[in-house]
mmCIF file of all heavy atoms in Angstrom:
data_model
loop_
_atom_site.group_PDB
_atom_site.id
_atom_site.type_symbol
_atom_site.label_atom_id
_atom_site.label_comp_id
_atom_site.label_asym_id
_atom_site.label_seq_id
_atom_site.Cartn_x
_atom_site.Cartn_y
_atom_site.Cartn_z
ATOM 1 N N THR A 116 -37.483 -62.651 39.117
ATOM 2 C CA THR A 116 -36.141 -62.089 38.906
ATOM 3 C C THR A 116 -35.844 -60.968 39.865
ATOM 4 O O THR A 116 -36.728 -60.451 40.536
ATOM 5 C CB THR A 116 -35.997 -61.486 37.497
ATOM 6 O OG1 THR A 116 -37.260 -61.060 37.047
ATOM 7 C CG2 THR A 116 -35.402 -62.492 36.563
ATOM 8 N N SER A 117 -34.578 -60.581 39.860
ATOM 9 C CA SER A 117 -34.115 -59.491 40.700
ATOM 10 C C SER A 117 -34.944 -58.231 40.445
ATOM 11 O O SER A 117 -35.218 -57.461 41.359
ATOM 12 C CB SER A 117 -32.646 -59.202 40.406
ATOM 13 O OG SER A 117 -32.413 -59.234 39.015
ATOM 14 N N ASN A 118 -35.341 -58.030 39.199
ATOM 15 C CA ASN A 118 -36.131 -56.831 38.914
ATOM 16 C C ASN A 118 -37.641 -57.079 39.016
ATOM 17 O O ASN A 118 -38.446 -56.286 38.520
ATOM 18 C CB ASN A 118 -35.756 -56.244 37.547
ATOM 19 C CG ASN A 118 -35.756 -57.305 36.465
ATOM 20 O OD1 ASN A 118 -36.748 -58.024 36.321
ATOM 21 N ND2 ASN A 118 -34.676 -57.404 35.726
ATOM 22 N N GLN A 122 -41.262 -65.385 35.874
ATOM 23 C CA GLN A 122 -41.052 -66.309 34.762
ATOM 24 C C GLN A 122 -41.635 -67.658 35.130
ATOM 25 O O GLN A 122 -41.159 -68.314 36.064
ATOM 26 C CB GLN A 122 -39.561 -66.448 34.461
ATOM 27 C CG GLN A 122 -39.207 -67.603 33.541
ATOM 28 C CD GLN A 122 -39.796 -67.451 32.155
ATOM 29 O OE1 GLN A 122 -39.616 -66.427 31.516
ATOM 30 N NE2 GLN A 122 -40.545 -68.450 31.684
ATOM 31 N N ASP A 136 -36.877 -78.830 43.086
ATOM 32 C CA ASP A 136 -35.794 -77.869 42.935
ATOM 33 C C ASP A 136 -35.223 -77.447 44.287
ATOM 34 O O ASP A 136 -34.217 -76.764 44.352
ATOM 35 C CB ASP A 136 -36.257 -76.647 42.130
ATOM 36 C CG ASP A 136 -37.444 -75.979 42.784
ATOM 37 O OD1 ASP A 136 -37.935 -76.498 43.811
ATOM 38 O OD2 ASP A 136 -37.880 -74.940 42.269
ATOM 39 N N SER A 139 -31.466 -79.353 46.432
ATOM 40 C CA SER A 139 -30.088 -78.888 46.494
ATOM 41 C C SER A 139 -29.825 -78.027 47.723
ATOM 42 O O SER A 139 -29.042 -78.370 48.597
ATOM 43 C CB SER A 139 -29.772 -78.109 45.222
ATOM 44 O OG SER A 139 -28.944 -77.020 45.466
ATOM 45 N N GLN A 144 -36.591 -73.016 45.047
ATOM 46 C CA GLN A 144 -36.128 -72.046 44.066
ATOM 47 C C GLN A 144 -37.307 -71.287 43.478
ATOM 48 O O GLN A 144 -37.205 -70.143 43.109
ATOM 49 C CB GLN A 144 -35.391 -72.744 42.917
ATOM 50 C CG GLN A 144 -34.317 -73.726 43.333
ATOM 51 C CD GLN A 144 -33.115 -73.032 43.929
ATOM 52 O OE1 GLN A 144 -32.871 -71.865 43.649
ATOM 53 N NE2 GLN A 144 -32.370 -73.736 44.769
ATOM 54 N N GLU A 168 -34.222 -94.492 52.049
ATOM 55 C CA GLU A 168 -33.163 -95.282 52.668
ATOM 56 C C GLU A 168 -33.500 -96.770 52.556
ATOM 57 O O GLU A 168 -32.658 -97.586 52.192
ATOM 58 C CB GLU A 168 -33.058 -94.878 54.146
ATOM 59 C CG GLU A 168 -31.771 -95.272 54.831
ATOM 60 C CD GLU A 168 -30.712 -94.195 54.612
ATOM 61 O OE1 GLU A 168 -31.086 -93.002 54.482
ATOM 62 O OE2 GLU A 168 -29.529 -94.551 54.582
ATOM 63 N N ARG A 174 -35.874 -94.531 45.752
ATOM 64 C CA ARG A 174 -34.766 -93.607 45.547
ATOM 65 C C ARG A 174 -34.548 -93.396 44.053
ATOM 66 O O ARG A 174 -34.373 -92.284 43.579
ATOM 67 C CB ARG A 174 -33.510 -94.203 46.187
ATOM 68 C CG ARG A 174 -32.434 -93.186 46.475
ATOM 69 C CD ARG A 174 -31.419 -93.696 47.475
ATOM 70 N NE ARG A 174 -30.696 -94.859 47.044
ATOM 71 C CZ ARG A 174 -30.571 -95.965 47.772
ATOM 72 N NH1 ARG A 174 -31.141 -96.053 48.961
ATOM 73 N NH2 ARG A 174 -29.870 -96.982 47.322
ATOM 74 N N SER A 182 -34.271 -86.105 37.072
ATOM 75 C CA SER A 182 -33.614 -86.134 35.777
ATOM 76 C C SER A 182 -34.603 -85.725 34.675
ATOM 77 O O SER A 182 -34.245 -85.052 33.716
ATOM 78 C CB SER A 182 -33.066 -87.531 35.539
ATOM 79 O OG SER A 182 -32.208 -87.567 34.455
ATOM 80 N N ASP A 183 -35.846 -86.147 34.854
ATOM 81 C CA ASP A 183 -36.896 -85.742 33.912
ATOM 82 C C ASP A 183 -37.043 -84.232 33.898
ATOM 83 O O ASP A 183 -37.237 -83.629 32.843
ATOM 84 C CB ASP A 183 -38.239 -86.368 34.307
ATOM 85 C CG ASP A 183 -38.358 -87.796 33.797
ATOM 86 O OD1 ASP A 183 -37.491 -88.217 33.006
ATOM 87 O OD2 ASP A 183 -39.315 -88.477 34.200
ATOM 88 N N ILE A 185 -34.766 -82.052 34.499
ATOM 89 C CA ILE A 185 -33.641 -81.496 33.751
ATOM 90 C C ILE A 185 -33.913 -81.609 32.257
ATOM 91 O O ILE A 185 -33.771 -80.648 31.503
ATOM 92 C CB ILE A 185 -32.326 -82.241 34.087
ATOM 93 C CG1 ILE A 185 -31.961 -82.026 35.557
ATOM 94 C CG2 ILE A 185 -31.196 -81.779 33.180
ATOM 95 C CD1 ILE A 185 -30.759 -82.816 36.022
ATOM 96 N N LYS A 186 -34.357 -82.781 31.860
ATOM 97 C CA LYS A 186 -34.638 -83.039 30.451
ATOM 98 C C LYS A 186 -35.689 -82.077 29.921
ATOM 99 O O LYS A 186 -35.548 -81.480 28.856
ATOM 100 C CB LYS A 186 -35.123 -84.480 30.302
ATOM 101 C CG LYS A 186 -35.320 -84.916 28.862
ATOM 102 C CD LYS A 186 -35.877 -86.323 28.819
ATOM 103 C CE LYS A 186 -36.321 -86.685 27.418
ATOM 104 N NZ LYS A 186 -37.082 -87.941 27.412
ATOM 105 N N LEU A 191 -37.407 -77.365 26.753
ATOM 106 C CA LEU A 191 -38.064 -76.067 26.716
ATOM 107 C C LEU A 191 -37.087 -74.994 26.253
ATOM 108 O O LEU A 191 -37.430 -74.099 25.476
ATOM 109 C CB LEU A 191 -38.611 -75.724 28.097
ATOM 110 C CG LEU A 191 -39.492 -74.493 28.153
ATOM 111 C CD1 LEU A 191 -40.657 -74.621 27.184
ATOM 112 C CD2 LEU A 191 -40.001 -74.249 29.549
ATOM 113 N N MET A 192 -35.848 -75.145 26.702
ATOM 114 C CA MET A 192 -34.828 -74.188 26.323
ATOM 115 C C MET A 192 -34.652 -74.187 24.816
ATOM 116 O O MET A 192 -34.564 -73.143 24.179
ATOM 117 C CB MET A 192 -33.532 -74.613 26.964
ATOM 118 C CG MET A 192 -32.619 -73.485 27.191
ATOM 119 S SD MET A 192 -31.410 -74.018 28.347
ATOM 120 C CE MET A 192 -30.222 -74.672 27.225
ATOM 121 N N MET A 193 -34.595 -75.375 24.297
ATOM 122 C CA MET A 193 -34.477 -75.534 22.851
ATOM 123 C C MET A 193 -35.647 -74.853 22.149
ATOM 124 O O MET A 193 -35.479 -74.158 21.151
ATOM 125 C CB MET A 193 -34.497 -77.022 22.558
ATOM 126 C CG MET A 193 -34.870 -77.380 21.180
ATOM 127 S SD MET A 193 -33.422 -77.680 20.256
ATOM 128 C CE MET A 193 -33.003 -79.283 20.942
ATOM 129 N N LEU A 195 -37.539 -72.432 23.198
ATOM 130 C CA LEU A 195 -37.510 -70.978 23.303
ATOM 131 C C LEU A 195 -36.402 -70.388 22.448
ATOM 132 O O LEU A 195 -36.473 -69.250 22.006
ATOM 133 C CB LEU A 195 -37.292 -70.577 24.761
ATOM 134 C CG LEU A 195 -38.419 -70.954 25.691
ATOM 135 C CD1 LEU A 195 -38.016 -70.697 27.126
ATOM 136 C CD2 LEU A 195 -39.663 -70.167 25.346
ATOM 137 N N ASN A 196 -35.403 -71.178 22.229
ATOM 138 C CA ASN A 196 -34.217 -70.681 21.575
ATOM 139 C C ASN A 196 -34.349 -70.706 20.073
ATOM 140 O O ASN A 196 -33.955 -69.770 19.387
ATOM 141 C CB ASN A 196 -33.032 -71.561 21.984
ATOM 142 C CG ASN A 196 -31.842 -70.748 22.355
ATOM 143 O OD1 ASN A 196 -31.783 -69.573 22.033
ATOM 144 N ND2 ASN A 196 -30.901 -71.353 23.012
ATOM 145 N N LYS A 197 -34.912 -71.765 19.566
ATOM 146 C CA LYS A 197 -34.799 -72.021 18.150
ATOM 147 C C LYS A 197 -36.124 -71.901 17.396
ATOM 148 O O LYS A 197 -36.132 -71.829 16.184
ATOM 149 C CB LYS A 197 -34.239 -73.434 17.916
ATOM 150 C CG LYS A 197 -32.791 -73.606 18.346
ATOM 151 C CD LYS A 197 -31.857 -73.176 17.237
ATOM 152 C CE LYS A 197 -30.408 -73.137 17.701
ATOM 153 N NZ LYS A 197 -30.178 -72.381 18.932
ATOM 154 N N ARG A 198 -37.207 -71.909 18.123
ATOM 155 C CA ARG A 198 -38.487 -71.981 17.421
ATOM 156 C C ARG A 198 -39.181 -70.629 17.396
ATOM 157 O O ARG A 198 -39.050 -69.820 18.293
ATOM 158 C CB ARG A 198 -39.388 -73.008 18.094
ATOM 159 C CG ARG A 198 -38.770 -74.370 18.238
ATOM 160 C CD ARG A 198 -39.638 -75.422 17.582
ATOM 161 N NE ARG A 198 -39.090 -76.746 17.761
ATOM 162 C CZ ARG A 198 -38.363 -77.367 16.821
ATOM 163 N NH1 ARG A 198 -38.103 -76.770 15.671
ATOM 164 N NH2 ARG A 198 -37.908 -78.578 17.041
ATOM 165 N N ASN A 236 -46.186 -65.845 28.878
ATOM 166 C CA ASN A 236 -45.049 -65.750 29.786
ATOM 167 C C ASN A 236 -44.189 -67.009 29.701
ATOM 168 O O ASN A 236 -42.971 -66.943 29.565
ATOM 169 C CB ASN A 236 -45.571 -65.554 31.218
ATOM 170 C CG ASN A 236 -44.461 -65.441 32.239
ATOM 171 O OD1 ASN A 236 -43.657 -66.345 32.397
ATOM 172 N ND2 ASN A 236 -44.418 -64.312 32.939
ATOM 173 N N TYR A 237 -44.841 -68.145 29.752
ATOM 174 C CA TYR A 237 -44.148 -69.437 29.699
ATOM 175 C C TYR A 237 -43.379 -69.609 28.389
ATOM 176 O O TYR A 237 -42.239 -70.053 28.381
ATOM 177 C CB TYR A 237 -45.183 -70.540 29.855
ATOM 178 C CG TYR A 237 -44.658 -71.948 29.792
ATOM 179 C CD1 TYR A 237 -43.815 -72.446 30.764
ATOM 180 C CD2 TYR A 237 -45.050 -72.793 28.757
ATOM 181 C CE1 TYR A 237 -43.361 -73.751 30.711
ATOM 182 C CE2 TYR A 237 -44.600 -74.105 28.700
ATOM 183 C CZ TYR A 237 -43.757 -74.576 29.678
ATOM 184 O OH TYR A 237 -43.316 -75.867 29.614
ATOM 185 N N LEU A 238 -44.007 -69.213 27.292
ATOM 186 C CA LEU A 238 -43.419 -69.445 25.968
ATOM 187 C C LEU A 238 -42.554 -68.293 25.471
ATOM 188 O O LEU A 238 -41.994 -68.363 24.384
ATOM 189 C CB LEU A 238 -44.533 -69.714 24.945
ATOM 190 C CG LEU A 238 -45.379 -70.970 25.140
ATOM 191 C CD1 LEU A 238 -46.489 -71.030 24.099
ATOM 192 C CD2 LEU A 238 -44.502 -72.217 25.055
ATOM 193 N N GLY A 239 -42.456 -67.237 26.272
ATOM 194 C CA GLY A 239 -41.649 -66.107 25.841
ATOM 195 C C GLY A 239 -42.321 -65.290 24.753
ATOM 196 O O GLY A 239 -41.671 -64.777 23.856
ATOM 197 N N GLN A 278 -42.874 -78.992 15.101
ATOM 198 C CA GLN A 278 -41.492 -79.436 14.924
ATOM 199 C C GLN A 278 -40.825 -78.711 13.764
ATOM 200 O O GLN A 278 -39.738 -79.074 13.343
ATOM 201 C CB GLN A 278 -41.451 -80.945 14.637
ATOM 202 C CG GLN A 278 -42.068 -81.806 15.701
ATOM 203 C CD GLN A 278 -41.258 -81.796 16.976
ATOM 204 O OE1 GLN A 278 -41.606 -81.088 17.928
ATOM 205 N NE2 GLN A 278 -40.173 -82.522 17.009
ATOM 206 N N ILE B 134 -27.954 -80.948 22.646
ATOM 207 C CA ILE B 134 -28.930 -81.938 22.186
ATOM 208 C C ILE B 134 -29.219 -81.671 20.715
ATOM 209 O O ILE B 134 -28.990 -80.564 20.222
ATOM 210 C CB ILE B 134 -30.234 -81.891 23.014
ATOM 211 C CG1 ILE B 134 -30.718 -80.450 23.205
ATOM 212 C CG2 ILE B 134 -30.033 -82.513 24.362
ATOM 213 C CD1 ILE B 134 -31.945 -80.339 24.074
ATOM 214 N N THR B 136 -32.089 -81.842 17.674
ATOM 215 C CA THR B 136 -33.545 -81.967 17.447
ATOM 216 C C THR B 136 -33.856 -82.955 16.351
ATOM 217 O O THR B 136 -32.985 -83.375 15.601
ATOM 218 C CB THR B 136 -34.159 -80.634 16.993
ATOM 219 O OG1 THR B 136 -33.167 -79.871 16.341
ATOM 220 C CG2 THR B 136 -34.722 -79.889 18.166
ATOM 221 N N SER B 137 -35.151 -83.258 16.275
ATOM 222 C CA SER B 137 -35.654 -84.177 15.257
ATOM 223 C C SER B 137 -35.232 -83.708 13.865
ATOM 224 O O SER B 137 -34.949 -84.513 12.985
ATOM 225 C CB SER B 137 -37.174 -84.265 15.347
ATOM 226 O OG SER B 137 -37.720 -82.967 15.519
ATOM 227 N N ASN B 138 -35.189 -82.396 13.661
ATOM 228 C CA ASN B 138 -34.818 -81.912 12.336
ATOM 229 C C ASN B 138 -33.313 -81.635 12.223
ATOM 230 O O ASN B 138 -32.871 -80.939 11.310
ATOM 231 C CB ASN B 138 -35.654 -80.679 11.959
ATOM 232 C CG ASN B 138 -35.640 -79.633 13.067
ATOM 233 O OD1 ASN B 138 -34.575 -79.285 13.578
ATOM 234 N ND2 ASN B 138 -36.802 -79.125 13.434
ATOM 235 N N GLN B 142 -28.619 -77.814 19.659
ATOM 236 C CA GLN B 142 -28.859 -76.804 20.691
ATOM 237 C C GLN B 142 -27.890 -77.026 21.828
ATOM 238 O O GLN B 142 -27.954 -78.054 22.515
ATOM 239 C CB GLN B 142 -30.296 -76.873 21.193
ATOM 240 C CG GLN B 142 -30.544 -76.087 22.476
ATOM 241 C CD GLN B 142 -30.362 -74.580 22.277
ATOM 242 O OE1 GLN B 142 -30.954 -74.005 21.373
ATOM 243 N NE2 GLN B 142 -29.540 -73.952 23.116
ATOM 244 N N ASP B 156 -27.773 -86.037 33.214
ATOM 245 C CA ASP B 156 -29.053 -86.157 32.533
ATOM 246 C C ASP B 156 -29.378 -87.600 32.178
ATOM 247 O O ASP B 156 -30.474 -87.900 31.735
ATOM 248 C CB ASP B 156 -29.087 -85.254 31.296
ATOM 249 C CG ASP B 156 -27.969 -85.587 30.334
ATOM 250 O OD1 ASP B 156 -27.148 -86.452 30.662
ATOM 251 O OD2 ASP B 156 -27.939 -84.987 29.252
ATOM 252 N N SER B 159 -31.977 -90.590 34.709
ATOM 253 C CA SER B 159 -33.378 -90.955 34.554
ATOM 254 C C SER B 159 -33.543 -92.205 33.712
ATOM 255 O O SER B 159 -34.025 -93.232 34.165
ATOM 256 C CB SER B 159 -34.134 -89.783 33.952
ATOM 257 O OG SER B 159 -35.134 -90.207 33.091
ATOM 258 N N GLN B 164 -28.991 -87.958 27.481
ATOM 259 C CA GLN B 164 -29.891 -87.111 26.709
ATOM 260 C C GLN B 164 -29.107 -86.223 25.755
ATOM 261 O O GLN B 164 -29.566 -85.879 24.686
ATOM 262 C CB GLN B 164 -30.701 -86.189 27.637
ATOM 263 C CG GLN B 164 -31.374 -86.867 28.793
ATOM 264 C CD GLN B 164 -32.529 -87.724 28.352
ATOM 265 O OE1 GLN B 164 -33.105 -87.467 27.301
ATOM 266 N NE2 GLN B 164 -32.858 -88.742 29.128
ATOM 267 N N GLU B 188 -24.338 -95.523 48.481
ATOM 268 C CA GLU B 188 -25.007 -96.385 49.450
ATOM 269 C C GLU B 188 -24.355 -96.208 50.824
ATOM 270 O O GLU B 188 -25.012 -96.076 51.840
ATOM 271 C CB GLU B 188 -24.853 -97.843 48.983
ATOM 272 C CG GLU B 188 -25.810 -98.820 49.623
ATOM 273 C CD GLU B 188 -27.148 -98.838 48.893
ATOM 274 O OE1 GLU B 188 -27.156 -98.613 47.640
ATOM 275 O OE2 GLU B 188 -28.166 -99.069 49.555
ATOM 276 N N ARG B 194 -24.217 -89.005 48.545
ATOM 277 C CA ARG B 194 -25.545 -89.081 47.934
ATOM 278 C C ARG B 194 -26.135 -87.677 47.869
ATOM 279 O O ARG B 194 -26.703 -87.259 46.868
ATOM 280 C CB ARG B 194 -26.427 -90.006 48.763
ATOM 281 C CG ARG B 194 -27.615 -90.539 48.002
ATOM 282 C CD ARG B 194 -28.197 -91.766 48.672
ATOM 283 N NE ARG B 194 -28.718 -91.507 49.998
ATOM 284 C CZ ARG B 194 -28.408 -92.258 51.068
ATOM 285 N NH1 ARG B 194 -27.589 -93.281 50.955
ATOM 286 N NH2 ARG B 194 -28.908 -91.968 52.246
ATOM 287 N N SER B 202 -29.782 -80.906 41.308
ATOM 288 C CA SER B 202 -30.687 -79.802 41.576
ATOM 289 C C SER B 202 -30.118 -78.495 41.012
ATOM 290 O O SER B 202 -30.845 -77.647 40.499
ATOM 291 C CB SER B 202 -30.921 -79.706 43.076
ATOM 292 O OG SER B 202 -31.982 -78.865 43.373
ATOM 293 N N ASP B 203 -28.790 -78.371 41.101
ATOM 294 C CA ASP B 203 -28.132 -77.200 40.521
ATOM 295 C C ASP B 203 -28.354 -77.143 39.022
ATOM 296 O O ASP B 203 -28.573 -76.077 38.447
ATOM 297 C CB ASP B 203 -26.622 -77.251 40.783
ATOM 298 C CG ASP B 203 -26.287 -76.768 42.185
ATOM 299 O OD1 ASP B 203 -27.198 -76.232 42.847
ATOM 300 O OD2 ASP B 203 -25.141 -76.932 42.597
ATOM 301 N N ILE B 205 -30.911 -78.282 37.425
ATOM 302 C CA ILE B 205 -32.281 -77.830 37.200
ATOM 303 C C ILE B 205 -32.352 -76.318 37.335
ATOM 304 O O ILE B 205 -32.909 -75.614 36.498
ATOM 305 C CB ILE B 205 -33.261 -78.485 38.205
ATOM 306 C CG1 ILE B 205 -33.305 -79.988 37.999
ATOM 307 C CG2 ILE B 205 -34.658 -77.881 38.083
ATOM 308 C CD1 ILE B 205 -34.135 -80.733 39.023
ATOM 309 N N LYS B 206 -31.747 -75.827 38.397
ATOM 310 C CA LYS B 206 -31.753 -74.395 38.664
ATOM 311 C C LYS B 206 -31.124 -73.606 37.521
ATOM 312 O O LYS B 206 -31.671 -72.611 37.050
ATOM 313 C CB LYS B 206 -30.993 -74.131 39.961
ATOM 314 C CG LYS B 206 -31.068 -72.704 40.435
ATOM 315 C CD LYS B 206 -30.220 -72.503 41.682
ATOM 316 C CE LYS B 206 -30.059 -71.031 42.004
ATOM 317 N NZ LYS B 206 -29.033 -70.822 43.040
ATOM 318 N N LEU B 211 -31.441 -70.077 32.805
ATOM 319 C CA LEU B 211 -31.149 -69.871 31.401
ATOM 320 C C LEU B 211 -32.434 -69.648 30.618
ATOM 321 O O LEU B 211 -32.523 -68.809 29.730
ATOM 322 C CB LEU B 211 -30.393 -71.073 30.843
ATOM 323 C CG LEU B 211 -29.849 -70.879 29.444
ATOM 324 C CD1 LEU B 211 -28.953 -69.658 29.370
ATOM 325 C CD2 LEU B 211 -29.096 -72.107 28.982
ATOM 326 N N MET B 212 -33.460 -70.397 31.023
ATOM 327 C CA MET B 212 -34.749 -70.267 30.367
ATOM 328 C C MET B 212 -35.272 -68.850 30.497
ATOM 329 O O MET B 212 -35.751 -68.258 29.541
ATOM 330 C CB MET B 212 -35.717 -71.206 31.034
ATOM 331 C CG MET B 212 -36.762 -71.689 30.123
ATOM 332 S SD MET B 212 -37.509 -73.074 30.893
ATOM 333 C CE MET B 212 -38.727 -72.244 31.869
ATOM 334 N N MET B 213 -35.163 -68.365 31.704
ATOM 335 C CA MET B 213 -35.581 -66.996 31.977
ATOM 336 C C MET B 213 -34.814 -66.024 31.097
ATOM 337 O O MET B 213 -35.371 -65.095 30.520
ATOM 338 C CB MET B 213 -35.280 -66.717 33.437
ATOM 339 C CG MET B 213 -35.152 -65.286 33.777
ATOM 340 S SD MET B 213 -36.648 -64.724 34.486
ATOM 341 C CE MET B 213 -36.501 -65.525 36.070
ATOM 342 N N LEU B 215 -33.378 -66.561 28.227
ATOM 343 C CA LEU B 215 -33.736 -66.655 26.817
ATOM 344 C C LEU B 215 -35.121 -66.093 26.575
ATOM 345 O O LEU B 215 -35.452 -65.640 25.488
ATOM 346 C CB LEU B 215 -33.700 -68.119 26.379
ATOM 347 C CG LEU B 215 -32.318 -68.748 26.414
ATOM 348 C CD1 LEU B 215 -32.410 -70.240 26.171
ATOM 349 C CD2 LEU B 215 -31.426 -68.095 25.382
ATOM 350 N N ASN B 216 -35.919 -66.135 27.598
ATOM 351 C CA ASN B 216 -37.315 -65.792 27.455
ATOM 352 C C ASN B 216 -37.545 -64.297 27.551
ATOM 353 O O ASN B 216 -38.315 -63.730 26.791
ATOM 354 C CB ASN B 216 -38.105 -66.472 28.576
ATOM 355 C CG ASN B 216 -39.331 -67.126 28.034
ATOM 356 O OD1 ASN B 216 -39.747 -66.838 26.925
ATOM 357 N ND2 ASN B 216 -39.907 -68.012 28.812
ATOM 358 N N LYS B 217 -36.869 -63.680 28.482
ATOM 359 C CA LYS B 217 -37.255 -62.337 28.862
ATOM 360 C C LYS B 217 -36.229 -61.262 28.487
ATOM 361 O O LYS B 217 -36.521 -60.090 28.526
ATOM 362 C CB LYS B 217 -37.480 -62.273 30.384
ATOM 363 C CG LYS B 217 -38.702 -63.019 30.872
ATOM 364 C CD LYS B 217 -39.959 -62.198 30.683
ATOM 365 C CE LYS B 217 -41.218 -63.005 30.946
ATOM 366 N NZ LYS B 217 -41.288 -64.258 30.176
ATOM 367 N N ASN B 256 -25.521 -69.825 19.468
ATOM 368 C CA ASN B 256 -26.396 -70.982 19.565
ATOM 369 C C ASN B 256 -26.934 -71.128 20.986
ATOM 370 O O ASN B 256 -28.124 -71.291 21.214
ATOM 371 C CB ASN B 256 -25.613 -72.238 19.150
ATOM 372 C CG ASN B 256 -26.438 -73.505 19.236
ATOM 373 O OD1 ASN B 256 -26.913 -73.872 20.295
ATOM 374 N ND2 ASN B 256 -26.617 -74.165 18.097
ATOM 375 N N TYR B 257 -26.026 -71.036 21.948
ATOM 376 C CA TYR B 257 -26.380 -71.171 23.357
ATOM 377 C C TYR B 257 -27.370 -70.090 23.796
ATOM 378 O O TYR B 257 -28.341 -70.359 24.504
ATOM 379 C CB TYR B 257 -25.104 -71.078 24.179
ATOM 380 C CG TYR B 257 -25.265 -71.159 25.679
ATOM 381 C CD1 TYR B 257 -25.710 -72.319 26.288
ATOM 382 C CD2 TYR B 257 -24.926 -70.068 26.479
ATOM 383 C CE1 TYR B 257 -25.828 -72.394 27.660
ATOM 384 C CE2 TYR B 257 -25.036 -70.152 27.859
ATOM 385 C CZ TYR B 257 -25.487 -71.311 28.439
ATOM 386 O OH TYR B 257 -25.605 -71.377 29.800
ATOM 387 N N LEU B 258 -27.129 -68.867 23.349
ATOM 388 C CA LEU B 258 -27.930 -67.733 23.804
ATOM 389 C C LEU B 258 -29.145 -67.446 22.918
ATOM 390 O O LEU B 258 -29.912 -66.513 23.190
ATOM 391 C CB LEU B 258 -27.070 -66.468 23.882
ATOM 392 C CG LEU B 258 -25.930 -66.469 24.895
ATOM 393 C CD1 LEU B 258 -25.102 -65.210 24.760
ATOM 394 C CD2 LEU B 258 -26.492 -66.586 26.321
ATOM 395 N N GLY B 259 -29.301 -68.225 21.871
ATOM 396 C CA GLY B 259 -30.441 -67.996 20.980
ATOM 397 C C GLY B 259 -30.260 -66.770 20.099
ATOM 398 O O GLY B 259 -31.211 -66.051 19.825
ATOM 399 N N GLN B 298 -28.730 -57.474 33.961
ATOM 400 C CA GLN B 298 -29.973 -57.646 34.717
ATOM 401 C C GLN B 298 -31.046 -56.661 34.251
ATOM 402 O O GLN B 298 -32.084 -56.523 34.895
ATOM 403 C CB GLN B 298 -29.728 -57.421 36.209
ATOM 404 C CG GLN B 298 -28.692 -58.297 36.832
ATOM 405 C CD GLN B 298 -29.119 -59.740 36.893
ATOM 406 O OE1 GLN B 298 -28.759 -60.549 36.035
ATOM 407 N NE2 GLN B 298 -29.934 -60.069 37.869
#
Side-chain angles (χ1 to χ4, degrees):
Chain A
T116 28
S117 43
N118 49 52
Q122 167 64 53
D136 58 357
S139 143
Q144 310 290 336
E168 198 87 30
R174 200 162 62 231
S182 192
D183 278 351
I185 296 175
K186 186 183 169 190
L191 188 56
M192 207 163 89
M193 159 98 75
L195 295 172
N196 226 344
K197 292 275 171 309
R198 306 236 183 261
N236 180 300
Y237 179 66
L238 296 176
Q278 302 291 100
Chain B
I134 46 183
T136 27
S137 44
N138 50 49
Q142 167 65 52
D156 58 356
S159 145
Q164 310 289 335
E188 197 84 32
R194 200 162 63 230
S202 193
D203 279 350
I205 296 174
K206 187 183 168 191
L211 189 56
M212 210 164 87
M213 158 100 73
L215 294 171
N216 226 344
K217 290 279 170 307
N256 179 299
Y257 178 66
L258 296 175
Q298 303 292 97

